Amino acid sequence: MERLVIALGGNALLPPGKARSFDAMRIRVAQSAPTIADVAEHARLVVTHGNGPQVGNLLLQVEAARAQVAPPPLDVLVAQTQAQIGYLLQQAVQNELTRRGHPDRVVTLVTQVVVDADDPAFDDPTKPVGPSITSETEAMLKRAKGWRLMTDPRGGWRRAVPSPRPLEIVEAEAIRHLVEQGFLVIAAGGGGVPVVRDGGRLRGVEAVIDKDLASAVLALALRADRLVLATDVEGVALHYGKPEQRFVDRMTVEHARRYLKEGHFPPGSMGPKVDAAIDFVAATGKEAIITDTGKLVAALAGNAGTHVVP
Ligand code: ADP
Ligand code: MG
């Protein structure tokens, strides 16, 4: 059976808009489950997912309760989102597979991802996390605590954290065994818990890892046959959002690199997906797909999405 890594974008987990309730998330995840089950019937599957809105909500809660409970560091918060999202997804997919008469073999794994302590990202934090900071005094207090702040285009500031490149999935071997035993594994949620190697020990760091790049590293470690980056658009477009916009159904690594350089894929949205696809395809000679979550099955059959080829 084909081995797939599928990275789920935020829209598979939360409805568009500002939904902050777990009911909304439960409903959305239940809507995504049949598609995942469709794929799981024909492939060995590892599912990764984003955690942007969820970690944002946790940071809001942390700020609100700061006087009562010591704020957890960011690595712990990422682990918390792996558990909450993984749990909801695991249950929804389990229910769907059970309904179809298949044994429910779905697990979520807390996953650590190694980054380089000397990654240049640590000197230049660029990833905004958490709520907007609106008062000068608060901004001053946060800076005194060592936070890096960046201006929020909607006004005020936001905390900026490093987004170092993922190097290695600590639990890759465990995931591989589970997949071989027929488990659908949910792993590397939110890009994984960022850790550095400190001598022989692992230590969590205050950073976040891009989930698309981490998914590529995981797909390589698992020797996956294909990497799928599922999101809320049909695939990749050139001149996105402009009148001359043109959908791309197939591009070589060489073309992808050129379009990236020409600025068609912004950092923070389509950029990391194309980067991840390039990493996987260039290293394996296999295929990566960027597609709408709702069109996963068609995309895997070659009838939808953008296919990145050697
Ligand atoms: P996810 O949660 O799936 O990672 P992102 O918002 O990070 O979603 O990335 C998907 C978004 O990238 C799309 O909703 C789209 O608005 C944006 N995007 C930017 N450039 C392009 C492009 N060239 N082609 C297609 N989508 C693009
Ligand atoms: Mg994204």
Side-chain angles (χ1 to χ4, degrees), residues 11 228-238 240 245-251 265 270 273-274 288-300 302-308:
N11 73 308
V228 184
L229 305 151
T231 183
D232 58 355
V233 285
E234 299 265 315
V236 161
L238 301 181
Y240 180 72
Q245 173 173 319
R246 184 162 70 76
F247 181 76
V248 180
D249 56 7
R250 197 168 178 279
M251 61 181 177
F265 315 129
M270 195 46 78
K273 289 183 211 305
V274 173
I289 305 172
I290 300 169
T291 179
D292 190 292
T293 310
K295 298 209 167 146
L296 261 178
V297 175
L300 285 165
N303 302 323
T306 299
H307 296 250
V308 182

Side-chain angles (χ1 to χ4, degrees), residues 33-34 36-38 40-41 89-106 184:
I36 297 166
D38 286 344
E41 295 204 56
L89 199 54
Q90 169 179 336
Q91 189 180 67
V93 175
Q94 245 160 13
N95 285 342
E96 181 61 23
L97 288 174
T98 304
R99 196 181 67 75
R100 298 177 184 205
H102 301 299
D104 47 348
R105 292 164 75 82
V106 187
L184 188 163

